[in-house]
Amino acid sequence: MNPVENLAALRAEMAKRRIDAYVVVTDDFHTSEYVGEHFKAREFLSGFTGSAGTLLVYANWVGLWTDGRYFLQAAQQLEGSGIRLMKQGEPGVPTIEEFLRQSLQPEQTLGFDGRCVDARPGRRYHRLTRQLGAKLNHQLDLVD
C-alpha cells in the first residue's frame, strides 16, 4: 500500500468508529524520537520519513506539523499527497491545539493512541475537548 491508500483506509476506520479527527504522533510507548518500524504510523500514512512530526487527519483534510529541520524534506515528501505542511513556529501557523480549537465542533470526537501520546499533550487534548463540548477517545490504535 502507499500513503494515499493508507490514509483512505484510516479514514474508513475513523468513519466506522465515529472519529472526526485523529492525531498520529511519531513516538512509541516511551515517547522516543527514533522509533522502531512498528511505531512509524505517521510515516506509513504520510510518506514523511523525518524523525519529528505529528499528523492530524480529518475526513476531508490532513496536516503534518513538523519543525524547521524538516521543512524542505517534508515539502518534497508530501508533494502531491494532499497533505498540508504545517511549519511549526512560523508566523500564522497554528499549533495543533489551536487548529483543533478552530476546527473541532461540539459533539465531534478526537481520537489518538494514548499509549504513544505524552501526558502533557494528552491532558491538553482532554481539556480542549471538554472546553469545546467535544469527545475524546484515547484508546484507539487505528493504524495497527
Side-chain angles (χ1 to χ4, degrees):
M1 293 181 84
N2 67 40
V4 172
E5 293 169 345
N6 298 343
L7 268 176
L10 173 65
R11 285 173 159 154
E13 196 62 29
M14 287 169 61
K16 189 176 4 174
R17 297 182 187 236
R18 296 187 173 115
I19 301 297
D20 301 286
Y22 192 71
V23 176
V24 182
V25 296
T26 302
D27 301 334
D28 60 14
F29 297 156
H30 308 286
T31 64
S32 305
E33 185 173 359
Y34 299 98
V35 298
E37 290 299 314
H38 175 78
F39 293 97
K40 293 185 178 180
R42 189 239 327 129
E43 180 180 332
F44 176 75
L45 294 167
S46 69
F48 171 61
T49 60
S51 67
T54 301
L55 199 65
L56 178 60
V57 181
Y58 281 84
N60 59 358
W61 187 90
V62 183
L64 172 77
W65 276 257
T66 194
D67 62 55
R69 296 175 291 171
Y70 296 108
F71 289 171
L72 292 175
Q73 177 184 344
Q76 291 170 347
Q77 291 180 330
L78 298 178
E79 190 173 344
S81 69
I83 299 171
R84 179 150 179 217
L85 174 57
M86 305 297 283
K87 297 177 178 180
Q88 284 177 222
E90 291 292 299
V93 177
T95 65
I96 294 170
E97 291 86 9
E98 290 167 344
F99 189 89
L100 285 166
R101 184 172 298 287
Q102 297 167 4
S103 60
L104 196 64
Q105 301 298 308
E107 298 303 315
Q108 287 188 322
T109 302
L110 172 64
F112 59 86
D113 182 351
R115 299 170 302 169
C116 296
V117 172
D118 187 73
R120 279 185 217 106
R123 283 192 293 267
R124 287 194 307 264
Y125 294 146
H126 177 73
R127 198 169 31 252
L128 176 68
T129 53
R130 197 175 56 228
Q131 291 168 352
L132 295 173
K135 300 171 192 159
L136 180 70
N137 187 333
H138 60 82
Q139 299 178 333
L140 294 173
D141 179 3
L142 296 184
V143 182
D144 194 30

